[in-house]
Amino acid sequence: MKLIYVFDAYCGWSYGFAPTLAEVTARRPELPVEVVSGGLFTGPRAVPIREFGYVQGANARISELTGVAFGPAYERLIADGSFVMDSAAAAHGMAVLRRAAPDRAAALAGDVQAAFYRDGLSLSEPGTFLRVAAAAGLDTTEIAAALDAPAGRHAAEADFRRAAELGVTAYPTLLAQDGERIAVLAVGRADPDTIDTALERFGAGRTETTSRSARP
């Protein structure tokens, strides 16, 4: 049995879900997590952020409902509206990090989103992923070489296909899979206790009785 987390690094609601995912994985360390990048801003949707007039209002709502903070550096990055959110580039970098540390993919996904939404770093820049890798204690020389190789781009494309095969149309989506059975645990947002209950209904017995604090 495993969890499947389908997110987009440029999705604010996925950023808001990161503390919940951290808590869920802390409570259930026995469950592996497959992290899949979605393609929210690809093709004709990879345009300047000014084209999405709802972003500022959505961010305020996300912060209100989830408690996550959008950093001043992020606000400066998007202030003039010219920044382009390219999910293909973000998925490429995420795939490289995931391959380097597959058992830490969920935490790395949160780190990547913090690099954008907190630190204002573009996820189209290889240097952003090198910075995340260094902070996570990964080999930056290997990461740099992987970012230049085509395998990461192919993995990103495979992620988009995987998300479609799973029927995911909104981010974030958290699923549980046990053999051929798949259940939707959360779409958009949910609290860890609600996800725990859904997991129990799906057949996963709890292995911990106490909750540990999530890392934002």
Side-chain angles (χ1 to χ4, degrees):
M1 180 171 173
K2 67 178 179 181
L3 300 175
I4 305 173
Y5 179 55
V6 188
F7 87 121
D8 192 287
Y10 278 126
C11 168
W13 287 103
S14 294
Y15 176 56
F17 192 76
T20 294
L21 182 65
E23 176 68 11
V24 169
T25 56
R27 291 183 183 188
R28 295 183 179 269
E30 79 284 2
L31 291 180
V33 184
E34 176 188 355
V35 175
V36 179
S37 291
L40 185 57
F41 300 105
T42 59
R45 284 180 59 82
V47 295
I49 200 168
R50 70 170 67 92
E51 300 292 329
F52 304 100
Y54 59 82
V55 168
Q56 295 291 1
N59 288 348
R61 183 67 171 160
I62 292 164
S63 185
E64 175 189 355
L65 293 176
T66 70
V68 297
F70 292 83
Y74 161 78
E75 299 290 353
R76 289 193 296 271
L77 178 70
I78 68 168
D80 69 356
S82 64
F83 181 78
V84 176
M85 297 183 293
D86 182 352
S87 293
H92 174 195
M94 183 61 219
V96 169
L97 295 177
R98 182 181 62 204
R99 183 174 182 181
D103 59 331
R104 297 163 60 190
L108 288 168
D111 293 341
V112 166
Q113 291 213 277
F116 176 60
Y117 282 110
R118 185 189 64 206
D119 302 331
L121 301 176
S122 170
L123 303 183
S124 291
E125 294 295 331
T128 298
F129 296 95
L130 292 174
R131 175 170 166 167
V132 171
L138 302 179
D139 187 325
T140 55
T141 301
E142 290 185 3
I143 296 295
L147 287 168
D148 283 336
R153 290 188 293 276
H154 296 161
E157 292 166 1
D159 272 18
F160 297 163
R161 292 193 296 271
R162 172 72 165 147
E165 290 164 359
L166 289 166
V168 172
T169 59
Y171 309 107
T173 293
L174 183 65
L175 308 168
Q177 181 175 19
D178 187 4
E180 296 298 316
R181 295 192 306 138
I182 295 180
V184 177
L185 304 177
V187 177
R189 64 187 182 92
D191 62 80
D193 290 340
T194 299
I195 294 172
D196 253 356
T197 299
L199 275 168
E200 287 166 2
R201 288 174 179 166
F202 189 63
R206 290 202 53 178
T207 59
E208 293 188 5
T209 58
T210 58
S211 168
R212 286 179 281 176
S213 297
R215 179 174 62 86

